Structures are given as structure tokens and as C-alpha cells.
Amino acid sequence: MRPATLLSAFLLALATPAAAAPPPPARGTVALTFDDLPELALVEDQDYADALTTALLAGLRRHHYPATGFVVGGKLEERVPARQSAILQQWLDAGMELGNHTFSHESPREIGAAAYIADIAHDDAVLRTLLAPRGLKPRWFRHPYLETGTTAAARRAIDTWLRRHGYRVAPVTIVPSDYEFAEPYDAALARHDDVHARALRRAWLSYLQRSIVWYRQAAHALFGRDIAHVLLLHATRLNADTVDDLAAILERNRLKVVPLSRAMRDPAYRTPDTYVGKDGLDWLSRWELTLKKPLPWDEFREPSARIQAEYARVDKDAETTPLTLEQSAPPAAEEEPAPAP
Ligand SMILES: [Zn+2]
């Protein structure tokens, strides 16, 4: 054996055990954003909305996580309006930032640019009233359905309005479709099916883990490095019940939570987004078009067909019959143990 061969054999022997264990993920950062405030709950019950808010905010504070919530002003007129407003105060009291998500959560594709801008302005008025007593102003805007305008003229009009009113669009780079798990979760809780609720929590967390890995890989494919990410979640009971699991997943992926404003300092966010069309695209998909570099779509997985079907079913059912806790609760007598003989 020549010395060089010996040396390579030695190096190979050294390298083999290390190769068996996957390398730890690179350290990175992520900003947490929660859409559809005051809450996104399928259950028509103010107590349910209040309780999920309290649990979600307590969880975020327990982990010292900053977050940005995006408000749909029209939802303040639903359920018990005074208590819906109180939910937003709770977010502010917890030190979270609030942004604009339009008043009615309509899509610019459906209503056109002029009506869409009016809807943003309506939400802006609500937010300014809410924030002014605290000396704050809204500065972030999140597009419902991530739709940014179907024509170049529409997109220009929307962007111009936002800029003139001091808004910056809040992009998203990790989009794990949490609502598809959250609505079946609400439905399972409403019918007191704890076994299924637990299964949905597990399914969600495993999909979240998979999503984080994929979107980080995808960003790497575009920029050749890890970028500061923005995670899109919703203000749901599911997220309230899994904050500690989220924290464990972020830790496992070595992602540190930072404020949105910090994440947005990453130069990646200066990459132009020139997409015009009807689709609601995340920002990696937009930059894929600008940079003309393909994302690893072969490895992308939607939530399972079972989750998608369950989501479609509960969402449709809720349109015809609002879901309430009482409605599906088993009679109390069934829960009681038989009296001792
Ligand atoms: Zn939304």
C-alpha cells in the first residue's frame, strides 16, 4: 500500500463514523407571524377565542418569543365585539406588534385593486385608533392569501398606497398551512374527541418539522446560504396548545426567534419580487421567478390527503352549521361513573 493510499484509508476511517450521523442544521433565525387576529377559530364561542388567546400569548411569553399579529378589523364586529377588541389589547399588553391584514380579508383577485385598497385603508383606520393611545403606528402589511395583485397596474396601485402610508409588506418564507390542521383540531375539541385531537397535534408538528427543513433548503437553493426566515402561522387553538412543541422544533432546527424587523434586515429581502398574477405565492416562490433558480419541488410535500380531506369537510360543514362546543358535547350523565351499589 502506497503512503497516499494509506493516508486516504486513514482519513476515510476517520470520516465514516461522522458521516453516519446527520450534521446538525446550521444556526439560523426566524420571525413568528400570526395571521387573522383577533383569532381564527372554527368554534363560534367567545370564551373559546379568549382562552386560545390567553394560552397562545402565555406560551409565547414563556419562551420570550416576540411575534407580529396581523389584524382583520372586520372580525372585531363578530362574536362579542368588546371582547374581540380586548383580545388585541392582550396582544399589545404582551409586547407583540400588530399589523394590517385588511378589514375584510378579501382577495384583490376577487374584488379588484380599488376595493382592495379601500379595505386596507379601513383596517388602517381601525389599527391607528387602537395603537395611537400607546404612541404606536402600524408598519407591516400582510396580504390575505398572499395575493399581491393580478395585473401590473393593480400591483403598482396597491404597493404605492402601502408605501405612502408607511407600510412595508411582510413576506413569508415558511408556509406550513397550519389552518388545514387547526380547523379539524377545533372540530375535534368541539366534539370532545381528545384522541383525534392528539393525533392532529402530532400530524401538525411532524408537518411543521418537514416544512421548516424544506423551506430552509429551498432558500439555500436560491441564495446559497441560510436566510432569516419568516414563519406564517395563525392565531388558533392548535398553535396555542403546541407552543412548547414549536419551541422544541425550533431548537432542534437551531432557529432563534427574532422580531420581524430584525429578520427583514437580511439582504435577501431586498431581492425584487416582480410577480404579477392570480396566485398567492410565498416569497421563495416569487424569488424563484426573479432569480430564475429552481426550488427543490420534487421534495415538497403537501399536508396528507387525509388532512386535506378532513379540512375541506369541516370547513364546508361550518359554513352551513356554525360549530359550537355545546352542540357536540356528550350528555354529562354519560361521563359520570355508575353509582356504587
Ligand atoms: Zn389571513
Side-chain angles (χ1 to χ4, degrees):
M1 206 179 251
R2 289 187 298 127
T5 321
L6 252 178
L7 182 65
S8 5
F10 175 68
L11 288 176
L12 189 69
L14 271 185
T16 307
R27 279 186 199 286
T29 58
V30 64
L32 305 183
T33 63
F34 291 87
D35 283 13
D36 297 5
L37 265 56
E39 39 57 44
L40 182 66
L42 209 57
V43 176
E44 288 293 322
D45 183 298
Q46 187 68 51
D47 288 341
Y48 190 84
D50 292 348
L52 82 82
T53 303
T54 303
L56 178 58
L57 291 172
L60 294 175
R61 293 196 67 169
R62 192 160 59 243
H63 293 281
H64 307 284
Y65 286 165
T68 306
F70 287 91
V71 175
V72 176
K75 284 176 168 248
L76 296 174
E77 294 166 6
E78 295 170 2
R79 307 187 196 275
V80 182
R83 287 168 64 185
Q84 290 290 84
S85 294
I87 286 180
L88 298 185
Q89 298 295 348
Q90 258 185 283
W91 276 79
L92 293 170
D93 291 343
M96 307 302 171
E97 188 162 11
L98 297 183
N100 186 324
H101 195 37
T102 77
F103 187 82
S104 317
H105 207 277
E106 298 280 359
S107 119
R109 176 171 53 87
E110 301 274 341
I111 64 175
Y116 187 67
I117 290 169
D119 204 30
I120 301 171
H122 194 175
D123 207 50
D124 179 62
V126 172
L127 274 177
R128 283 183 198 276
T129 307
L130 184 81
L131 297 176
R134 297 175 190 248
L136 300 169
K137 279 182 198 163
R139 56 175 174 159
W140 300 108
F141 177 72
R142 166 74 43 79
H143 286 281
Y145 314 106
L146 307 181
E147 291 175 16
T148 50
T150 47
T151 65
R155 174 130 194 210
R156 207 162 37 240
I158 296 164
D159 286 348
T160 303
W161 191 96
L162 289 171
R163 207 171 39 248
R164 285 194 184 144
H165 292 81
Y167 281 101
R168 187 165 175 195
V169 170
V172 288
T173 62
I174 303 178
V175 187
S177 307
D178 61 338
Y179 56 91
E180 295 199 39
F181 298 83
E183 290 199 358
Y185 187 68
D186 284 337
L189 292 184
R191 59 175 191 272
H192 304 274
D193 186 346
D194 293 341
V195 173
H196 191 55
R198 196 160 51 239
L200 285 166
R201 281 202 299 271
R202 272 201 305 271
W204 155 240
L205 293 166
S206 126
Y207 189 70
L208 174 64
Q209 164 63 26
R210 176 188 268 275
S211 292
I212 287 173
V213 170
W214 187 84
Y215 281 101
R216 285 184 90 185
Q217 270 174 14
H220 214 281
L222 292 181
F223 295 100
R225 65 176 178 88
D226 211 30
I227 66 164
H229 282 278
V230 180
L231 173 60
L232 168 58
L233 297 170
H234 290 78
T236 63
R237 182 77 236 183
L238 176 61
N239 285 325
D241 288 351
T242 53
V243 180
D244 293 342
D245 305 287
L246 167 72
I249 287 174
L250 295 180
E251 203 163 299
R252 195 185 317 145
N253 288 278
R254 305 219 293 173
L255 285 172
K256 180 178 185 283
V257 175
V258 295
L260 180 58
S261 53
R262 168 99 69 86
M264 294 288 289
R265 278 190 229 142
D266 188 313
Y269 293 96
R270 296 205 289 268
T271 311
D273 154 33
T274 50
Y275 174 73
V276 166
K278 62 178 174 42
D279 293 333
L281 299 182
D282 66 74
W283 265 251
L284 299 184
S285 302
R286 290 163 186 272
W287 295 330
E288 176 185 35
L289 302 172
T290 320
L291 300 172
K292 299 188 172 56
K293 287 184 190 170
L295 298 181
W297 289 114
D298 285 354
E299 287 153 52
F300 181 79
R301 296 286 175 276
E302 302 271 2
S304 72
R306 224 173 105 183
I307 291 291
Q308 290 189 46
E310 192 176 341
Y311 166 69
R313 191 177 65 244
V314 299
D315 195 52
K316 189 162 162 284
D317 287 353
E319 268 174 36
T320 47
T321 318
L323 195 65
T324 62
L325 290 169
E326 293 79 9
Q327 183 190 340
S328 355
E334 278 181 24
E335 303 260 299
E336 283 182 9

